[in-house]
Amino acid sequence: MGQLAEGHFSKDFLRKAGWAAFFIAAVLGLAIAALATGTLPVGLRQVAIALFGEGEPRIRLVVVEWRAPRIAAAILAGMALGMAGALFQTLLRNPLGSPDIIGFDSGAFSGALLAMVAGASEMTVAGASLAGGLLAGVLIYGLSGFRNGSTGRIILIGIAVSAFFMALNDWVVMTAQLDMALAAASWKVGSLNGVDGTKLALGGLMLCLLLPAALACARALRILELGDDRAASLGENVAATQLKIGLVGLALTAVATFVAGPVGFVALIAPRVALWLIGGASIPLLASALFGAVFLLSSDLAGRLFFLPRIIPTGAMTAALGGVYFVVLLWSRRNGKGTLA
């Protein structure tokens, strides 16, 4: 019996490791393609030379200062959103329980937007993003009665809270000074244009701290999936564990929002696709984060290439792909397949 269990664990681990390696390779391939393609096509040799600080100044400008930061931002935000979606969908036991549906990203963006309009530093904006996400969480927790409320009620309350913060964001953009309003409007639609080194450094540092914390929640999540009563009988402090997982998920959402704005559908889709590809009873956390990076990076690349010379904001591309996802989901449920549900 022990040998069978050990063999099953080994196969499960190898399958997950294989998919993780595939996603990492996909991220690297997409990153190289994003560095080389665009309005100004650049050969791979020229890309490598530019990354080492050599070559033509024009190519260095395009590759190092324009394309590389937005690629890094897409990977960073995609991993944060994919992981946050996996945490919340598992915690709420509902495929619609992602931070963009519930409204955590809208709250985080409200905090960041208000700080930016006030002329705060990047670090203060990052802190305000987290504070806004926490405020959204507190409102949803209080209005839905999380401990006694159904998942459907929590999601409905979250949609209402999200609408409130979205209206607030629109009002702030409309009343801000013109230059600030233009920058805020671009950030609001999930554009990765103009991401600077300070924002990437802060976001990368926070992600390096939060990803291990999220992965450390895997065991607790598996226990919570058994139900609150069963989890309590196994010695788990259900309320404290839910709070810890929720805070980690909120912080990941705030990081992604601070870097890329409120990009929709990544947190919703990435965990479902990762679960569909890898299988198993639980949403794979690391694979969700990696596929989130693949999804957001490929969406950004598509937005840059499909409509040349125009560049479509990344958030608009993820929304379009999210619409396709819902069509596939409805079709599969109608035909009794449940492919990605």
Side-chain angles (χ1 to χ4, degrees), residues 256-277:
T257 305
F258 167 67
V259 172
V263 179
F265 291 101
V266 179
L268 176 70
I269 294 175
R272 309 315 304 176
V273 174
L275 179 62
W276 174 57
L277 290 174

Side-chain angles (χ1 to χ4, degrees), residues 10 14 69 127:
S10 178
L14 289 175

Side-chain angles (χ1 to χ4, degrees), residues 3-298:
Q3 290 179 341
L4 287 174
E6 184 178 347
H8 175 74
F9 173 79
S10 178
K11 288 181 180 179
D12 185 61
F13 175 79
L14 289 175
R15 185 176 71 254
K16 290 181 178 179
W19 276 109
F22 173 77
F23 290 146
I24 291 171
V27 169
L28 292 175
L30 287 167
I32 293 171
L35 286 171
T37 55
T39 307
L40 175 66
V42 180
L44 294 182
R45 183 173 179 275
Q46 291 175 303
V47 168
I49 292 172
L51 291 175
F52 283 103
E54 303 293 337
E56 296 181 32
R58 183 182 61 155
I59 293 178
R60 287 206 309 272
L61 175 68
V62 170
V63 172
V64 178
E65 297 187 27
W66 291 356
R67 293 178 183 173
R70 70 182 297 144
I71 291 168
I75 294 172
L76 194 159
M79 291 188 70
L81 288 171
M83 183 66 83
L87 292 177
F88 281 119
Q89 288 182 30
T90 305
L91 185 63
L92 296 175
R93 303 166 198 159
N94 191 307
L96 293 178
S98 66
D100 49 337
I101 298 295
I102 300 175
F104 295 144
D105 63 341
S106 298
F109 186 67
S110 293
L113 183 60
L114 289 170
M116 186 188 78
V117 170
S121 65
E122 293 280 22
M123 186 169 292
T124 303
V125 172
S129 178
L130 178 58
L134 289 173
L135 176 59
V138 169
L139 287 174
I140 295 167
Y141 184 94
L143 292 173
S144 65
F146 180 79
R147 293 291 298 161
N148 300 313
S150 66
T151 299
R153 176 180 172 83
I154 293 168
I155 292 173
L156 287 175
I157 294 293
I159 292 173
V161 170
S162 176
F164 165 76
F165 280 115
M166 289 172 67
L168 174 62
N169 296 338
D170 289 338
W171 178 80
V172 172
V173 172
M174 291 296 294
T175 56
Q177 295 182 352
L178 181 59
D179 56 343
M180 191 69 72
L182 290 173
S186 176
W187 191 20
K188 182 174 177 291
V189 295
S191 174
L192 298 177
N193 284 330
V195 178
D196 57 35
T198 303
K199 184 174 287 189
L200 286 175
L202 284 172
L205 176 61
M206 290 188 286
L207 187 65
C208 288
L209 296 174
L210 289 169
L211 278 182
L215 292 172
C217 296
R219 178 182 175 277
L221 282 170
R222 287 196 296 270
I223 293 176
L224 290 179
E225 285 183 300
L226 300 174
D228 292 353
D229 293 338
R230 179 62 174 164
S233 70
L234 293 173
E236 195 73 34
N237 187 332
V238 175
T241 301
Q242 288 175 335
L243 177 62
K244 179 181 70 174
I245 294 170
L247 288 175
V248 173
L250 280 170
L252 285 165
T253 305
V255 169
T257 305
F258 167 67
V259 172
V263 179
F265 291 101
V266 179
L268 176 70
I269 294 175
R272 309 315 304 176
V273 174
L275 179 62
W276 174 57
L277 290 174
I278 297 177
S282 302
I283 296 174
L285 298 182
L286 182 59
S288 297
L290 292 172
F291 185 78
V294 171
F295 182 33
L296 192 53
L297 187 53
S298 59

